[in-house]
Amino acid sequence: MKPNILAKVQRRTNRYQKRAGMAARWLSYEMGQTQPWVYPHRMYIESTNVCNLRCVMCPTGRQEIVRKKGFMDFDLFTQIVDEMAPHVEATTLHIWGEPLLHPRLLDMIAYCRDHNLRCEISTNATLLDETRALGIINAGLDKIYLCLDGVTKETYEEVRRRASFETTHTNIRRFLELRNQHGRTRPQVNLQIIQMSKTQAEVGDFVQNWTIEGVDRINVKPFDSWAGQVDEISSLQTENHDGLLPRYPCPNLWYHVHIYWDGSLVMCDRDFNVAHPLGNVKDGVMKAWRGALMADLRRRHVNDDLAEVSPCNTCKEWAWWKPAPFHAQGNRPDNTSAIEISPSNGNGQDLGDHS
C-alpha cells in the first residue's frame, strides 16, 4: 500500500477504536459497574496546588484549601503518563494551582507530546512572560486557556486579586504574536471569562474585544459553585440551580480520573481538600481507579446513597452532563458552548460541545 493509503486506514481505524471505547464506557456507566473494565476518557493532573493570586471565586484563592501545598514529582508524572497515555483522550496539567509555577512544566508538556498524549493548561497568564511563552509553544502544548475575568481594570483586579490588568493583557497579546511569528497553530488559544455576578455585565464586550486573529476560541465558562461548600463563592452565581433532574450517578466517576500533585486520587476537583479519600496512584492509576474505595463510591452513586459522602451530598454540578453512547464531556454543562473564531473573517461560530 502507498503511504497515504496506510495513513488513511490508520486514521479510520483509530476513529473506530475511539467510538468502540466510548460505547463500552457508556455501557459500563449504564450498567452501574463499580469496577469498570474500561479506561477513563479524560485525565486531570494537578501539577501543583500553589497559586500566586487570590481570586474571589476560587477555593485556592480564598485559602479554603488546607491540604499540603506542593509540586508533583516528575518521576511520578512520567509514571502516570506511561501508564495512561495509550488509553485516555487527553490530560490537563492543572487542577487547583497555577501550572506556570511548576519548575518542570515544559518537560511535562514535552513528555506528553512524545507519548502522543494531548495536554492542556489553564493559566491566569500573570507569569506568561516571553520566555515562558516561547517555551510553551516549542514544547508542544495542545491547548491553553488564558483566563481574563473582566474587560475593565476595575472588574478584573476585583476578581483576580494580586493580578495586574495591564501585565496580563500584555502577556496574552505577546503570546498571540509569538505563536503567529513562529507559524504555529498549536497550542489552540482559548480566551476565558467566568460567568458570575462580578463579570456578567462585561461578557458581551469580552467576546467582542477578543474576537481577533490568534484567538481560536472564546470560552464563557459557566460558574462552578464547587458543590456549594463556600458561601462566599456560591453568592457569586447568577442563576438559580434549584429544580434539578432526578439524581443519576455522576458520570465523572466513570469518565474522568483526577490526580492531585501528591498522587492522591479524588472523585473530582470539587473534593479540593480530599474529604473523601480514594487512595493513591503511586502503585498504579488503574489499580486505584478500579480499587475498592472507588468501587464503593460508584456503588453509593448507583444506589443514591450519598447523604454521608462529601462533597457529593451538596453538589449540583453533577447534573451538568450525561453521557451517551458516543458522547462525553469535560467538566462543563452539556447545554453551554464556546465561540470559535474564524481568522479569515473575524466572525464567531458557536460550538455546542467542547471540553
Side-chain angles (χ1 to χ4, degrees):
M1 276 189 201
K2 295 181 179 179
N4 60 336
I5 296 177
L6 287 172
K8 289 181 180 179
V9 170
Q10 185 62 55
R11 286 195 297 270
R12 182 166 295 182
T13 300
N14 292 342
R15 185 163 61 249
Y16 289 151
Q17 287 176 339
K18 286 183 179 180
R19 288 178 65 83
M22 290 294 290
R25 199 173 290 111
W26 174 79
L27 185 60
S28 176
Y29 171 79
E30 285 292 307
M31 292 173 62
Q33 289 191 334
T34 60
Q35 292 177 301
W37 73 86
V38 293
Y39 284 81
H41 180 241
R42 287 178 59 86
M43 183 161 64
Y44 297 79
I45 295 176
E46 180 183 73
S47 54
T48 181
N49 64 342
V50 177
C51 190
N52 60 320
L53 299 187
R54 293 291 182 265
C55 303
V56 298
M57 67 294 187
C58 177
T60 300
R62 302 192 72 96
Q63 300 185 33
E64 299 286 342
I65 297 181
V66 297
R67 60 188 168 93
K68 184 179 179 181
K69 302 290 186 182
F71 300 84
M72 180 172 281
D73 181 79
F74 190 69
D75 288 340
L76 174 59
F77 174 78
T78 59
Q79 175 186 319
I80 292 168
V81 172
D82 288 347
E83 178 184 356
M84 301 301 292
H87 308 290
V88 295
E89 182 76 15
T91 188
T92 72
L93 301 179
H94 65 273
I95 299 182
W96 279 119
E98 170 50 54
L100 296 186
L101 288 169
H102 198 292
R104 299 200 65 179
L105 177 67
L106 299 184
D107 294 328
M108 290 176 162
I109 295 170
Y111 198 82
C112 289
R113 177 200 63 203
D114 292 344
H115 288 74
N116 297 313
L117 175 61
R118 289 173 45 224
C119 69
E120 58 191 63
I121 64 170
S122 178
T123 174
N124 59 44
T126 60
L127 304 174
L128 191 62
D129 57 23
E130 185 159 332
T131 299
R132 286 190 176 95
L134 285 171
I136 286 171
I137 292 168
N138 291 326
L141 185 69
D142 291 285
K143 184 183 295 186
I144 188 168
Y145 289 87
L146 302 172
C147 302
L148 187 69
D149 292 294
V151 171
T152 64
K153 176 181 175 69
E154 292 74 20
T155 297
Y156 172 77
E157 293 185 358
E158 171 60 22
V159 172
R160 297 274 174 177
R161 295 181 179 175
R162 294 191 179 181
S164 162
F165 183 73
E166 292 82 6
T167 298
T168 306
H169 254 260
T170 298
N171 289 348
I172 290 175
R173 291 190 177 275
R174 183 57 179 152
F175 184 86
L176 299 178
E177 291 172 358
L178 289 169
R179 193 188 71 156
N180 181 59
Q181 288 173 8
H182 286 73
R184 304 292 178 83
T185 58
R186 286 288 183 268
Q188 180 194 82
V189 174
N190 296 257
L191 256 290
Q192 178 170 289
I193 185 171
I194 298 175
Q195 194 164 20
M196 55 183 159
S197 59
K198 291 183 180 295
T199 64
Q200 182 69 26
E202 298 184 10
V203 168
D205 287 340
F206 182 90
V207 173
Q208 182 176 356
N209 291 356
W210 288 103
T211 304
I212 60 175
E213 187 171 358
V215 175
D216 300 302
R217 290 186 177 186
I218 298 174
N219 186 36
V220 180
K221 184 180 181 182
F223 181 80
D224 197 321
S225 75
W226 308 116
Q229 297 173 87
V230 183
D231 290 342
E232 293 82 359
I233 294 177
S234 296
S235 69
L236 298 171
Q237 60 190 348
T238 60
E239 297 178 356
N240 186 347
H241 292 281
D242 293 336
L244 295 176
L245 297 170
R247 184 102 192 202
Y248 53 81
C250 180
N252 292 335
L253 302 179
W254 281 261
Y255 280 78
H256 300 165
V257 56
H258 286 76
I259 303 167
Y260 285 165
W261 70 267
D262 61 354
S264 295
L265 179 71
V266 291
M267 58 182 74
C268 75
D269 48 3
R270 295 174 189 91
D271 191 4
F272 47 77
N273 275 321
V274 197
H276 195 87
L278 295 170
N280 197 287
V281 305
K282 290 181 179 178
D283 292 327
V285 175
M286 295 308 295
K287 183 177 180 181
W289 197 73
R290 289 179 177 145
L293 294 172
M294 274 292 286
D296 180 66
L297 180 59
R298 293 189 186 101
R299 179 187 60 77
R300 286 175 175 270
H301 271 256
V302 169
N303 295 333
D304 194 15
D305 177 23
L306 299 171
E308 304 300 321
V309 181
S310 176
C312 300
N313 53 2
T314 60
C315 185
K316 295 182 178 179
E317 284 82 14
W318 63 267
W320 271 6
W321 69 284
K322 191 172 185 180
F326 303 110
H327 165 73
Q329 283 278 114
N331 198 11
R332 64 177 295 120
D334 246 338
N335 61 349
T336 59
S337 59
I339 306 297
E340 184 172 33
I341 307 304
S342 174
S344 60
N345 57 26
N347 293 328
Q349 176 186 358
D350 194 44
L351 297 177
D353 172 37
H354 77 291
S355 52

